[in-house]
Amino acid sequence: TGANLARVLTELHGRRPELFPSALRHEYVITNSWPTVEYPALTGRSVPTEAEVLQPDNLARLAGEIAVLERIVACGAQAQAALRALQAAGTVRARVAYGRHLSQRAVNMIPGGSDTASRIRLWCDAVLSQFDGKT
């Protein structure tokens, strides 16, 4: 996931530096839709449930972490559910784009690409089109 995030940021910065002014991940707020690390060997699962992500205390935490952002890219189903809930509640002022999770397994399922690089480009196309109002 981290390697794909680096690839995405390089691509987005190269294509739209006015939207993504850096290719470096430490220049961005990166947070999770759930504060607990879920790892199969540790917790028996790799992701939280949607119900957990949508708990009011979790949404309040997330809203506080993203309150000052102008743009958000929500990656994965749980992040998307949380952002949609925050948008519905009127607590997100940022423009939001939705993308597939950046795990290698998820990236490999992007249709139309023949390798990681081409799938990352397609992922970036989809995100940028949302910021450009084309979806």
Side-chain angles (χ1 to χ4, degrees), residues 52-100:
E52 288 171 324
V53 169
L54 295 177
Q55 292 175 1
D57 60 330
N58 185 61
L59 291 175
R61 172 200 61 85
L62 185 58
E65 291 181 11
I66 63 174
V68 300
L69 302 179
E70 295 178 16
R71 279 176 301 286
I72 297 169
V73 179
C75 302
Q78 285 78 7
Q80 292 174 20
L83 261 292
R84 285 188 173 99
L86 292 173
Q87 285 181 305
T91 57
V92 175
R93 292 188 302 261
R95 293 178 62 204
V96 180
Y98 297 95
R100 183 182 296 262

Side-chain angles (χ1 to χ4, degrees), residues 17-88:
E18 75 282 8
L19 295 178
F20 296 90
S22 176
L24 304 174
R25 66 191 290 174
H26 72 270
E27 297 286 333
Y28 297 93
V29 173
I30 299 173
T31 190
N32 289 310
S33 61
W34 182 243
T36 304
V37 174
E38 301 293 348
Y39 184 70
L42 181 65
T43 64
R45 61 189 185 163
S46 61
V47 296
T49 66
E50 187 172 304
E52 288 171 324
V53 169
L54 295 177
Q55 292 175 1
D57 60 330
N58 185 61
L59 291 175
R61 172 200 61 85
L62 185 58
E65 291 181 11
I66 63 174
V68 300
L69 302 179
E70 295 178 16
R71 279 176 301 286
I72 297 169
V73 179
C75 302
Q78 285 78 7
Q80 292 174 20
L83 261 292
R84 285 188 173 99
L86 292 173
Q87 285 181 305

Side-chain angles (χ1 to χ4, degrees), residues 99-120:
R100 183 182 296 262
H101 194 275
L102 288 172
S103 69
Q104 192 60 51
R105 182 177 177 191
V107 168
N108 286 344
M109 295 183 343
I110 295 172
S114 60
D115 58 11
T116 297
S118 63
R119 291 181 186 111
I120 291 291

